[in-house]
């Protein structure tokens, strides 16, 4: 039981590699979307769930990452392997500057300042036509170069025959898998445990000599950098980068995913991304009123399952265990 | 050096924008001051006010007082909606984490703006200027529409009325007390729950009125809610969350920065607004005239 408990993320990752083998372009597309948003939501959860900082501007770093990769790959012809880490790096750098000011504020003011910075990023992306393409955004971001991979794969009997978008999905899986592993290590480290302590009681943490602001800034920068990486992948996946990547409604979407999955668990937000995107795909084929449904889901969540899916599942599990123990 | 009458005209247009924003932001600020919640749905109430005014004008046809009846009717309708939402849903979230309250108001944005889309479609709607205010006057060489002048005068009138209610009436004292210390107020026998509902309704009324009054000037379209809420946030943040005169000052600053920003940095006036907001938050998180939260 214990072994399975720690191994299942790896099993999920391996299973995810077989999605394109199902042969449906649509499922691969959906899975790719989910994987990228899972990273975005998990990075936000480091702030909201672990550190107790409610950021309303997380889309800023997602947008910065997307524009970084997009600009480097489209305008400068930089290969993906350099453009991708650059997204995390630049988003992280912006997070250092913005975070320096944000972590000095608390609660609602923190949320407002993160929102203000995100709107600044959005306004720049929206208006700086020469560089960002302004309102029109930047279409036709190239895929990474998979020519060599296709040549190698076609030599192996059952590996060839995939499309470029499917190779990109495999690449996304590897990158996000690596990022999630790193984030998991961070959360489990003494640094990560200190973040939880700060969330529970910042005054006490301060009292025992912890530099609370420095830890919060650390969390802010790490969360921003990983959101940037998610954005870098999203620009390529989306085949273009647009200013609404950094708009405040994107920040609330990712917050909803995080809440839906459950802020109390590491993989909760990823689960939230899966459920929300899958629901979205299902529902938009029946009705154009997706926001109405999303809003309703959100209201039900807030009033009935404030712990999200992971919280509800844990609660149910505990109740079953108690029942079993009594019987 | 630009022409003086041009500068004057520009500042008047900034003033018009400011008075509108004051109308909307004052409701936002009131809710924050008393209920300690940032209401994302306030922009949606504003949008519903505009659509309702359009609808009432459609029903009543053109007449000398149609527009004013529509504006008050729309604002009252939105106030009732606000009251229902507060009484039956929002009230259950008091005392929960701020994130839940914020996201609830965001859920309202999603639901109500889609409902508006179902009722009124996505085609843009417009309302004519009320009879008697369709002309324009010339002030110091600058031409300004009558309706804008009316808005510029209405802003301070509402501000004074508001101030009078808050400072000089019994209800106003309760509202101010609730903003400072709700527990004590409750212990003194005031029905805090009803007071909150009332405050929420009053704020919704102001939001709806703002929407109704802007309908002769701007197109009524889906998406006007998310646009205005961020503007109103900037105003209350600059002025100080929960501070009444701060909101007024914030609106004035916003209007002028926007209006002159367009002149000097045509492309980056939106940017300068958010930069100003960030700068104020960094130096004084509680805003220019606000008070630090306990």
């Amino acid at each position: 039981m214990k072994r399975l408990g720690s191994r299942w993320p790896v099993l999920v990752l391996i299973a995810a590699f077989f999605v394109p083998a199902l042969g449906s372009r649509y499922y691969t597309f959906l899975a790719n979307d989910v994987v990228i948003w899972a990273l975005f939501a998990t990075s936000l959860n480091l702030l909201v769930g672990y550190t107790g900082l409610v950021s309303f501007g997380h889309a800023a770093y997602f947008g910065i990452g997307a524009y970084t990769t997009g600009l480097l790959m489209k305008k400068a012809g930089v290969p993906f392997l350099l453009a991708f880490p650059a997204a995390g790096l630049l988003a992280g750098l912006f997070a250092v500057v913005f975070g320096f000011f944000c972590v000095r504020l608390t609660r609602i003011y923190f949320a407002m300042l993160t929102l203000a910075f995100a709107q600044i990023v959005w306004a720049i992306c929206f208006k700086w036509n020469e560089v960002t393409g302004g309102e029109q955004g930047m279409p036709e971001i190239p895929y990474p170069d998979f020519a060599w991979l296709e040549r190698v794969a076609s030599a192996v009997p059952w590996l060839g025959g995939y499309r470029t978008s499917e190779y990109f999905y495999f690449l996304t899986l590897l990158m996000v898998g690596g990022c999630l592993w790193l984030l998991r290590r961070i959360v489990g480290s003494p640094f990560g445990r200190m973040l939880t302590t700060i969330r529970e009681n910042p005054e006490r943490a301060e009292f025992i000599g912890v530099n609370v602001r420095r830890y919060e800034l650390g969390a802010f920068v790490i969360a921003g950098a990983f959101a940037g990486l998610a954005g870098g992948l999203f620009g390529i996946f989306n085949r273009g980068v647009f200013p609404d990547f950094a708009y405040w409604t994107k920040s609330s979407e990712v917050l909803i995913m995080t809440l839906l999955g459950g802020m109390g668990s590491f993989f909760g937000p990823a689960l939230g991304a899966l459920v929300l995107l899958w629901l979205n795909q299902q529902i938009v084929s029946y009705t154009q009123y997706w926001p109405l449904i999303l809003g309703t889901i959100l209201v039900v969540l807030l009033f009935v399952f404030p712990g999200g899916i992971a919280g509800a599942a844990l609660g149910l599990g505990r109740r079953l265990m108690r029942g079993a123990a009594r019987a | 050096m630009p022409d003086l009458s041009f500068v004057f005209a520009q500042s008047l247009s900034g003033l018009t924008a400011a008075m509108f924003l004051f109308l909307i932001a004052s409701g936002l600020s009131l809710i924050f001051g008393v209920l300690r919640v940032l209401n994302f749905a306030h922009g949606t109430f504003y949008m519903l006010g505009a659509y309702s005014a359009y609808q009432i004008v459609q029903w009543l046809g053109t007449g000398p007082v149609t527009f004013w009846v529509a504006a008050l009717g729309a604002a009252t309708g939105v106030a009732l909606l606000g009251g229902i939402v507060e009484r039956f849903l929002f009230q259950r979230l008091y005392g929960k984490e701020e994130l839940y309250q914020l996201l609830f108001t965001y859920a309202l944005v999603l639901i109500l703006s889609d409902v508006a889309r179902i009722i009124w479609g996505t085609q843009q709607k417009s309302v004519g200027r009320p009879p008697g205010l369709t002309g324009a006057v010339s002030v110091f060489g600058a031409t300004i529409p009558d309706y804008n002048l009316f808005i510029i005068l209405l802003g301070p009138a509402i501000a004074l009325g508001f101030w009078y209610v808050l400072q000089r009436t019994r209800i106003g004292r309760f509202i101010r007390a609730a903003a400072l210390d709700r527990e004590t107020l409750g212990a003194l026998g005031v029905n805090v729950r009803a007071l909150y509902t009332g405050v929420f309704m009053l704020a919704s009324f102001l939001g709806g009125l703002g929407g109704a009054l802007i309908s002769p000037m701007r197109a009524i379209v889906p998406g006007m809610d998310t646009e205005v809420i961020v503007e109103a946030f900037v105003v209350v943040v600059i002025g100080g969350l929960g501070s009444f005169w701060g909101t007024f000052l914030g609106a004035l600053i916003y209007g002028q920065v926007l209006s002159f920003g367009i002149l000097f940095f045509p492309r980056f006036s939106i940017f300068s607004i958010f930069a100003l907001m960030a700068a104020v938050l960094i130096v004084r998180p509680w805003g220019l005239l606000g008070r630090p939260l306990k």
Side-chain angles (χ1 to χ4, degrees):
Chain A
M1 193 66 200
K2 173 82 186 127
R3 281 180 70 89
L4 184 70
S6 54
R7 289 281 155 47
W8 70 264
V10 182
L11 295 178
V12 170
L13 182 71
I14 293 170
F17 270 98
F18 289 97
V19 171
L22 296 175
S24 159
R25 223 174 171 161
Y26 170 75
Y27 281 126
T28 310
F29 176 87
L30 185 59
N32 206 342
D33 204 15
V34 168
V35 171
I36 295 172
W37 278 89
L39 175 58
F40 189 21
T42 308
S43 77
L44 175 64
N45 196 34
L46 185 69
L47 281 180
V48 185
Y50 285 91
T51 323
L53 295 170
V54 178
S55 167
F56 240 94
H58 208 49
Y61 312 99
F62 189 72
I64 290 169
Y67 274 98
T68 307
T69 311
L71 281 168
L72 285 176
M73 289 185 66
K74 190 184 175 192
K75 299 213 170 162
V78 173
F80 174 78
L81 281 180
L82 287 176
F84 176 65
L89 192 68
L90 203 70
L93 281 176
F94 271 93
V96 171
V97 178
F98 295 166
F100 174 79
F101 297 110
C102 291
V103 299
R104 300 192 309 171
L105 309 187
T106 49
R107 299 154 71 92
I108 203 92
Y109 295 115
F110 173 86
M112 303 247 36
L113 191 56
T114 53
L115 177 69
F117 281 126
Q119 287 301 107
I120 290 177
V121 170
W122 167 78
I124 292 174
C125 297
F126 193 76
K127 290 283 178 177
W128 201 6
N129 296 7
E130 295 84 359
V131 175
T132 63
E135 206 175 334
Q136 308 299 319
M138 238 181 346
E140 287 159 30
I141 307 289
Y143 273 124
D145 183 17
F146 291 122
W148 62 273
L149 187 64
E150 276 162 31
R151 229 174 298 128
V152 172
S154 61
V156 184
W158 46 272
L159 265 187
Y162 284 120
R163 286 172 283 254
T164 315
S165 62
E166 285 155 346
Y167 284 119
F168 181 68
Y169 169 69
F170 292 133
L171 185 67
T172 307
L173 268 183
L174 280 179
M175 295 297 166
V176 170
C179 288
L180 290 182
W181 179 77
L182 269 175
L183 274 167
R184 177 98 183 155
R185 290 293 299 264
I186 291 170
V187 163
S189 70
F191 171 81
R193 284 169 207 282
M194 189 55 80
L195 295 182
T196 316
T197 309
I198 288 170
R199 180 195 67 199
E200 292 303 322
N201 198 335
E203 287 83 14
R204 184 175 294 171
E206 193 85 62
F207 191 71
I208 57 170
V210 176
N211 190 335
V212 170
R213 268 187 201 167
R214 193 174 297 167
Y215 273 91
E216 287 179 340
L217 181 61
F220 198 92
V221 172
I222 294 167
F226 281 101
L229 292 175
L233 291 170
F234 194 69
I236 302 171
F237 166 70
N238 201 51
R239 310 311 323 273
V241 183
F242 305 96
D244 71 290
F245 285 12
Y247 199 54
W248 70 268
T249 48
K250 269 272 187 299
S251 301
S252 42
E253 273 171 47
V254 71
L255 258 179
I256 294 173
M257 280 179 189
T258 311
L259 186 73
L260 173 66
M263 301 182 304
S265 80
F266 182 80
F267 287 106
L271 184 64
L274 171 71
V275 173
L276 204 66
L277 289 170
W278 178 77
L279 270 178
N280 180 15
Q281 295 290 334
Q282 294 298 309
I283 288 167
V284 290
S285 57
Y286 294 108
T287 164
Q288 52 171 321
Y289 300 112
W290 162 247
L292 182 67
I293 311 267
L294 177 61
T296 313
I297 292 173
L298 187 51
V299 170
V300 172
L301 259 180
L302 292 171
F303 286 101
V304 189
F305 305 108
I309 298 170
L314 274 177
L316 187 70
R318 249 181 244 128
R319 218 173 299 160
L320 286 177
M321 293 289 264
R322 230 179 289 140
R326 226 178 281 135
Chain B
M1 185 66 203
D3 179 15
L4 257 178
S5 71
F6 179 64
V7 170
F8 187 67
Q10 204 66 21
S11 81
L12 277 182
S13 95
L15 204 56
T16 316
M19 288 307 113
F20 260 126
L21 275 174
F22 168 69
L23 205 57
I24 298 150
S26 59
L28 192 67
S29 178
L30 184 67
I31 288 187
F32 185 84
V34 178
L35 280 68
R36 290 279 175 258
V37 175
L38 217 49
N39 180 17
F40 273 102
H42 199 67
T44 309
F45 289 156
Y46 152 91
M47 182 175 79
L48 289 178
Y51 272 118
S52 308
Y54 160 81
Q55 194 60 57
I56 299 174
V57 167
Q58 291 297 305
W59 284 333
L60 296 182
T62 46
V65 292
T66 313
F67 176 77
W68 307 110
V69 172
L72 284 178
T76 309
V78 172
L80 285 175
L81 177 69
I84 291 169
V85 163
E86 198 277 344
R87 178 70 186 75
F88 293 103
L89 291 169
F90 204 76
Q91 221 161 55
R92 303 192 197 179
L93 289 176
Y94 294 142
K96 293 238 175 107
E97 278 177 54
E98 277 147 354
L99 175 65
Y100 294 160
Q101 301 176 345
L102 280 177
L103 282 178
F104 173 71
T105 66
Y106 184 68
L108 284 181
V109 172
L110 293 170
I111 293 172
L112 293 176
S113 47
D114 242 15
V115 168
R117 212 148 57 96
I118 292 170
I119 299 176
W120 289 288
T122 50
Q123 289 283 319
Q124 76 174 45
K125 305 273 185 263
S126 60
V127 172
R129 282 189 220 161
L133 290 177
T134 50
V137 285
S138 188
V139 193
F140 297 117
T143 310
I144 168 169
D146 287 344
Y147 192 76
N148 290 28
L149 208 58
F150 161 72
I151 294 299
I152 291 176
L153 296 176
L154 181 74
I158 286 188
L160 283 175
F162 216 125
W163 174 82
Y164 180 82
V165 170
L166 278 181
Q167 296 295 321
R168 292 280 183 270
T169 65
R170 198 175 150 76
I171 291 287
R173 272 202 301 279
F174 288 157
I175 292 177
R176 281 185 295 139
L180 287 176
D181 189 344
R182 55 180 104 164
E183 283 80 14
T184 309
L185 188 67
L188 288 173
V190 174
N191 187 344
V192 178
R193 284 200 149 191
L195 185 71
Y196 278 15
T197 310
V199 164
F200 206 90
M201 286 179 77
L202 177 61
S204 309
F205 182 89
L206 289 167
L209 187 65
L213 290 179
I214 208 165
S215 61
M217 298 178 74
R218 282 195 204 164
I220 309 168
V221 284
M224 66 193 284
D225 55 340
T226 47
E227 211 169 287
V228 82
I229 190 65
V230 177
E231 290 183 302
F233 273 176
V234 175
V235 166
V236 296
V237 165
I238 291 176
L241 280 162
S243 155
F244 173 72
W245 290 113
T247 306
F248 196 75
L249 179 69
L252 284 178
I253 294 175
Y254 189 109
Q256 296 309 317
V257 168
L258 195 69
S259 185
F260 284 98
I262 284 174
L263 276 190
F264 297 116
F265 324 95
R267 294 249 302 281
F268 290 101
S269 61
I270 310 184
F271 171 80
S272 55
I273 293 288
F274 293 122
L276 182 69
M277 170 177 169
V280 168
L281 270 173
I282 288 164
V283 181
R284 281 178 67 89
W286 47 90
L288 294 176
L289 300 182
R291 255 186 308 240
L293 273 186
K294 294 271 159 45

